[in-house]
């Protein structure tokens, strides 16, 4: 039996498992927390899998809320902490179904079925806290020992069911420093183009995890080595791939692979909608109504295909039978402020050198934001000596394609542009020995200074004291912005000003 540090188990997760067990249900710690404990890593969170249905979980814990519609589960709250507790699932489709893409996952099953429907063998391990033993239905312990990423079941099918698993495979391989089982590696390369079918918010969230998970350098090396980066963002691939990069992209096949099973939309009703033990979700719960509405609209559109004219039916058949699979290549980079190819190589080398410093910031507990992580990828390509409107235009030219292709949120995109402009202000102020004029509150300024430090270290410089910061224009000083208890200066209001002017104007007319 492999060793596992019981002292590292979250006491609240342990409490959830034991209470469900005492109530007559099977319950285990499951997934990433078991994997991380077995390789002596600190788990980010703890998940529980149980034979209890969502309603039975809620009946057991007063501090519980049922969430989700596509995947119904329970959140058990302990203050700000959440122990995610899910019911054992079975595969939601039969092997002879026409559609591989999983849209709903509310078919309950046994613990063995639950383990076998998970993505990778190293994530299919259960831990019984009562008996203090690891339960392995999928060969995950052997792959942990061999340091291999292997899908559970046929990798061609698993990556088509949910192409985001490709990014998850990259994430686990990078963080754990694991290799790929050969069949899993070949399937990953074959189906990487399927990523383009996934919802952009899911892809963006996985990109954030790759950048901020403590293994950004190795993650991006694998994204290049697999050709996945070019599918996610041809523009970013153009910036990072090529001479000066530590990894080489594989050749792109001339013809995209055909799906192994014809893909169509579900027309039948979801049986989970009528499960008496799985009641309808309250409006607004878990913030998923808009997302589900979009999916349900797509299902309805497929069901109403009989209402389409001949031309629309032809397009519908193309969409249903031959979905858009786009193995993309890196786009050639053309930046108006960068003329030399050698200059691009130099800056590409600097961008790659910044990635380990993101990992170091994570290890130091500084937790770089999404905008700082994106900034570390782009700041190396900024022009050196531009100011004002020319600088803003250059930042827009540099950042906009990445923002569009990765669907970066408005907040992060605005913060990214600000941080990039701030880098040139900090650099110029450092050269003059002057104060850098930066607007915004303390959080934004701290992020600007962190990004400045990352790029300086990537360039082989030991950062000296950062330039002093001065409030830009009429903006308040950062200390004032961030102190809610500081008394505000009250503007003196002049009373009767307009009335007084009208009276004087009328008096002048009468006098005339």
């Amino acid at each position: 039996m492999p060793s596992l540090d019981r002292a590292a188990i979250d006491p609240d997760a342990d409490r959830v498992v034991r209470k469900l067990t005492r109530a007559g249900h099977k319950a285990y710690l499951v997934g990433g927390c078991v994997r991380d404990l077995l390789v002596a890593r600190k788990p980010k969170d703890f998940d529980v899998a149980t034979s209890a249905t969502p309603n039975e979980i809620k009946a057991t814990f007063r501090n519980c809320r049922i969430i989700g519609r596509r995947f119904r589960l329970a959140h058990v709250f302990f203050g700000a902490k959440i122990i995610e507790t899910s019911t054992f699932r079975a595969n939601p489709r039969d092997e002879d179904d026409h559609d591989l893409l999983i849209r709903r996952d509310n078919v309950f099953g046994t613990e063995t079925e639950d383990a076998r429907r998970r993505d990778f063998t190293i994530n299919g391990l259960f831990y019984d806290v009562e008996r203090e033993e690891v339960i392995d239905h999928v060969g995950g312990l052997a792959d942990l020992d061999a340091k291999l990423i292997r899908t559970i079941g046929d990798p061609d099918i698993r990556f088509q069911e949910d192409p985001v698993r490709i990014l998850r495979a990259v994430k686990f391989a990078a963080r754990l420093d694991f290799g790929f089982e050969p069949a899993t590696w070949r399937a990953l390369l074959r189906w990487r183009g399927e990523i383009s079918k996934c919802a952009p918010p899911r892809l963006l969230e996985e990109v954030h995890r790759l950048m901020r998970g403590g293994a950004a350098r190795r993650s991006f090396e694998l994204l290049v080595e697999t050709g996945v980066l070019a599918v996610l963002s041809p523009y970013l691939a153009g910036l990072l791939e090529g001479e000066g990069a530590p990894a080489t992209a594989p050749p792109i096949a001339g013809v995209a692979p055909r799906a192994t099973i014809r893909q169509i939309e579900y027309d039948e009703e979801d049986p989970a909608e009528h499960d008496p033990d799985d009641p309808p979700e309250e409006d607004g719960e878990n913030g998923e109504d808009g997302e589900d509405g979009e999916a349900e609209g797509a299902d309805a559109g497929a069901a109403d295909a009989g209402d389409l004219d001949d031309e629309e039916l032809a397009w519908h058949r193309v969409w249903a039978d031959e979905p858009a699979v786009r193995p993309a290549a890196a786009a050639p980079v053309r930046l108006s402020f960068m003329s030399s190819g050698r200059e691009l190589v130099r800056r590409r080398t600097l961008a790659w050198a910044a990635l380990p410093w993101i990992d170091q910031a994570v290890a130091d507990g500084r937790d770089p934001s999404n905008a700082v992580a994106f900034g570390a990828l782009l700041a190396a390509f900024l022009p050196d000596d531009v100011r004002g409107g020319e600088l803003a235009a250059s930042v827009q030219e540099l950042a906009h394609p990445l923002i569009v292709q990765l669907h970066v949120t408005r907040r992060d995109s605005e913060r990214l542009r600000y941080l990039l402009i701030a880098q040139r202000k900090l650099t110029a102020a450092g050269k003059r020995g002057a104060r850098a004029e930066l607007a915004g509150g303390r959080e934004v300024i701290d992020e600007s200074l962190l990004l400045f430090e990352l790029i300086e270290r990537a360039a082989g410089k030991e950062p000296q004291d950062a330039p002093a910061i001065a409030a830009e224009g009429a903006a308040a000083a950062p200390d004032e912005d961030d102190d809610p208890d500081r008394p505000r200066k009250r503007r003196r209001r002049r009373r009767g000003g307009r009335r007084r002017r009208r009276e004087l104007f009328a008096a002048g007319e009468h006098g005339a």
Side-chain angles (χ1 to χ4, degrees):
M1 183 61 60
S3 60
L4 185 152
D5 183 8
R6 282 193 47 80
I9 296 176
D10 184 278
D12 293 321
D14 185 272
R15 188 175 301 119
V16 169
V17 172
R18 293 182 186 277
K19 191 168 183 178
L20 285 169
T21 302
R22 288 196 299 270
H25 309 290
K26 288 186 177 180
Y28 308 109
L29 296 179
V30 65
C33 63
V34 181
R35 176 200 68 224
D36 289 344
L37 289 171
L38 288 172
V39 296
R41 291 171 60 94
K42 182 179 179 180
K44 182 183 67 174
D45 48 35
F46 286 79
D47 296 334
V48 173
T50 177
S51 60
T53 63
N55 277 3
E56 289 172 336
I57 300 170
K58 189 171 184 179
T60 306
F61 299 94
R62 291 180 299 173
N63 52 328
C64 175
R65 182 185 181 196
I66 299 176
I67 68 161
R69 184 170 297 169
R70 289 183 178 88
F71 189 90
R72 201 84 167 159
L73 51 81
H75 279 176
V76 184
F77 292 86
F78 295 90
K81 185 198 307 177
I82 294 174
I83 305 299
E84 192 170 275
T85 307
S86 61
T87 306
F88 295 145
R89 258 40 176 212
N91 199 318
R93 61 172 186 82
D94 295 327
E95 291 300 322
D96 58 350
D97 277 351
H98 293 295
D99 193 356
L100 290 180
L101 196 63
I102 294 176
R103 291 175 175 79
R104 294 178 183 268
D105 198 354
N106 282 318
V107 180
F108 300 147
T110 65
E111 68 174 83
T112 304
E113 289 173 325
D114 189 81
R116 290 176 178 169
R117 57 165 286 283
R118 293 176 180 271
D119 50 8
F120 304 106
T121 57
I122 60 173
N123 293 337
L125 300 171
F126 296 166
Y127 183 72
D128 187 330
V129 298
E130 296 278 356
R131 300 171 62 183
E132 297 188 12
E133 67 177 16
V134 176
I135 301 172
D136 182 7
H137 296 289
V138 294
L141 290 174
D143 285 335
L144 274 181
D145 287 340
K147 296 187 175 183
L148 285 178
I149 304 296
R150 184 196 308 266
T151 61
I152 298 173
D154 186 341
D156 288 302
I157 292 177
R158 302 321 300 272
F159 287 139
Q160 288 180 84
E161 285 177 334
D162 185 1
V164 171
R165 287 172 178 157
I166 293 173
L167 295 181
R168 287 171 56 80
V170 169
K171 175 178 67 179
F172 296 134
R175 289 187 186 179
L176 301 172
D177 196 23
F178 279 18
F180 289 88
E181 180 268 332
T184 299
W185 174 258
R186 291 192 297 269
L188 189 154
L189 297 181
R190 185 179 303 118
W191 298 107
R192 60 195 171 198
E194 296 276 287
I195 291 173
S196 61
K197 298 177 182 177
C198 298
R202 289 191 69 204
L203 296 179
L204 180 62
E205 182 62 28
E206 288 299 328
V207 171
H208 291 161
R209 290 170 179 166
L210 291 173
M211 293 191 300
R212 301 173 58 192
R217 168 71 179 231
R218 183 57 185 150
S219 294
F220 273 84
E221 288 176 355
L222 285 171
L223 289 178
V224 172
E225 292 171 5
T226 57
V228 169
L229 183 60
V231 180
L232 290 170
S233 172
Y235 170 74
L236 185 58
L239 288 177
L240 296 182
E241 292 181 11
E243 188 178 355
T248 302
I252 300 296
V255 179
R258 290 291 301 271
T260 56
I261 298 179
R262 184 171 66 91
Q263 304 234 345
I264 60 174
E265 288 289 325
Y266 281 128
D267 289 339
E268 70 273 13
E269 294 184 3
D270 182 359
E273 294 291 340
H274 307 289
D275 186 346
D277 205 24
D278 194 14
E281 186 175 359
E282 297 176 5
D283 291 341
E285 187 175 346
N286 201 31
E288 293 188 359
D289 289 294
E291 187 178 344
D292 287 324
E294 181 180 349
E296 289 166 3
D299 292 345
D304 295 338
D307 298 332
L308 305 178
D309 60 29
D310 292 341
E311 183 177 2
E312 290 171 327
L313 278 172
W315 278 108
H316 179 75
R317 282 193 295 270
V318 170
W319 171 82
D321 297 341
E322 300 180 16
V325 182
R326 303 187 304 272
V333 175
R334 297 184 180 88
L335 298 172
S336 62
F337 51 82
M338 190 180 301
S339 56
S340 167
R342 299 306 307 169
E343 181 67 10
L344 174 61
V345 172
R346 183 181 73 83
R347 292 176 178 274
R348 176 181 293 141
T349 303
L350 181 60
W352 278 100
L355 291 174
W357 292 108
I358 298 179
D359 298 335
Q360 186 60 51
V362 172
D364 293 340
R366 301 176 73 179
D367 191 23
S369 67
N370 299 331
V372 169
F374 280 126
L377 294 173
L378 297 182
F381 299 94
L382 283 170
D384 292 322
D385 299 314
V386 293
R387 297 181 182 180
E390 187 178 354
L391 174 58
S394 298
V395 166
Q396 175 70 6
E397 181 183 357
L398 177 63
H400 185 68
L402 179 143
I403 290 169
V404 171
Q405 292 176 3
L406 291 181
H407 298 264
V408 179
T409 65
R410 177 180 296 181
R411 180 184 184 279
D412 284 344
S413 60
E414 290 175 353
R415 182 69 61 88
L416 171 61
R417 293 187 186 99
Y418 175 88
L419 295 181
L420 292 175
I421 291 173
Q423 299 313 297
R424 284 297 165 259
K425 292 184 178 182
L426 289 167
T427 300
K431 290 179 180 178
R432 300 193 311 268
R435 294 166 67 89
E437 293 188 354
L438 299 181
R442 174 54 57 189
E443 178 185 350
V444 183
I445 292 174
D446 285 346
E447 289 186 359
S448 301
L449 295 175
L450 174 57
L451 179 56
F452 181 76
E453 177 186 332
L454 297 180
I455 299 302
E456 288 285 286
R457 291 187 181 278
K461 304 174 185 177
E462 189 63 30
Q464 305 299 320
D465 292 337
I469 307 299
E472 187 178 64
D479 291 339
E480 294 181 5
D481 285 348
D482 286 345
D483 186 356
D485 298 324
R486 184 184 297 275
R488 295 178 178 271
K489 293 183 179 179
R490 305 186 68 176
R491 181 186 297 178
R492 186 175 180 181
R493 184 176 178 181
R494 298 179 62 184
R495 298 182 179 275
R498 291 182 181 177
R499 182 178 61 190
R500 179 64 176 164
R501 286 195 295 273
R502 285 198 300 269
E503 292 174 353
L504 291 174
F505 180 76
E509 283 187 339
H510 291 305

